[in-house]
Amino acid sequence: MTIDIVNIDTDILLWINSMHTSLLDTFMWNVSSKYIWIPMYLLMVALLAKRYGWRCLWMLLAIGVAFGLSDYISHLLKHIVCRPRPTHEESLADLIYIVNDYRGGKYGFPSSHAADTMSLALLFSLIWRDWRTTLTLMLWVTANCLSRMYLGVHYPGDIVCGLLLGATFALGAYWVLRACKVTKKSETKISPHWLEYALPAIFFVTLIFSFIV
């Protein structure tokens, strides 16, 4: 028996995309925005500076390089693979639900959103080494990926390959940091202790905010 990967990819996309309500339209649109997460990005910088002092500059450089490469390579691959986004696929024109007339660029493989968020989330998690932070950032990645499929601009296959791409650059950057002894196997906990909960808190506040703006 032959498994039709393309049809499965399309079926999952259409299932997620079909769950539209006015409330979810607002939520997914905002979650997919890069700008609504700026407070979380700034907090991540502040937390690294608080714990690591001047060494955070090397970590921020590594995060920037991993993120930049994920974004650049994913966009480059889009124009090599040339797989149309679902919103640009004529056969799906009557099946895809469009939010705010947003269709994205012509090509969508792999997902830059998936690659970028995974590179940032995984590398920060490896540096920070706290289960609450890791769980929060993986939920952030998941929310972003679901939003891209809900908006109809990426197939699940686009998302999976984007995640793998971002993870590759994150692991590579972390290996370099460890090789250069910028990070250590054990680090002192950040003080005061409640700051460990700052990132989960701002994540959930942003999620709530995404429903109402």
Side-chain angles (χ1 to χ4, degrees), residues 13-81:
L13 164 73
L14 293 176
W15 176 62
I16 294 173
N17 176 254
S18 69
M19 298 179 181
H20 57 85
T21 66
S22 59
L23 186 61
L24 277 178
D25 285 357
T26 299
F27 176 72
M28 292 297 188
W29 177 262
N30 288 324
V31 165
S32 190
S33 169
K34 299 176 182 179
Y35 304 107
I36 201 169
W37 300 107
I38 287 176
M40 191 176 80
Y41 302 150
L42 294 177
L43 177 61
M44 293 167 77
V45 173
L47 289 174
L48 287 178
K50 174 71 174 176
R51 175 183 280 184
Y52 296 103
W54 67 268
R55 280 190 297 151
C56 80
L57 296 176
W58 293 110
M59 298 172 187
L60 292 173
L61 177 62
I63 290 172
V65 170
F67 185 94
L69 285 173
S70 295
D71 192 66
Y72 176 75
I73 298 300
S74 62
H75 278 92
L76 183 65
L77 288 173
K78 281 183 172 71
H79 295 280
I80 294 175
V81 178

Side-chain angles (χ1 to χ4, degrees), residues 96-158:
I96 291 288
Y97 174 72
I98 306 295
V99 178
N100 295 334
D101 200 33
Y102 173 66
R103 290 173 170 79
K106 185 175 182 181
Y107 304 122
F109 181 92
S111 167
S112 295
H113 265 73
D116 296 348
T117 54
M118 178 55 87
S119 67
L120 174 57
L122 181 57
L123 183 50
F124 190 93
S125 296
L126 289 170
I127 292 171
W128 197 254
R129 294 287 178 173
D130 177 77
W131 70 269
R132 290 156 295 197
T133 297
T134 300
L135 178 59
T136 297
L137 291 177
M138 290 304 112
L139 287 174
W140 173 62
V141 172
T142 301
N144 269 275
C145 291
L146 283 174
S147 75
R148 302 307 285 171
M149 290 183 285
Y150 179 91
L151 296 175
V153 294
H154 282 298
Y155 294 98
D158 302 342

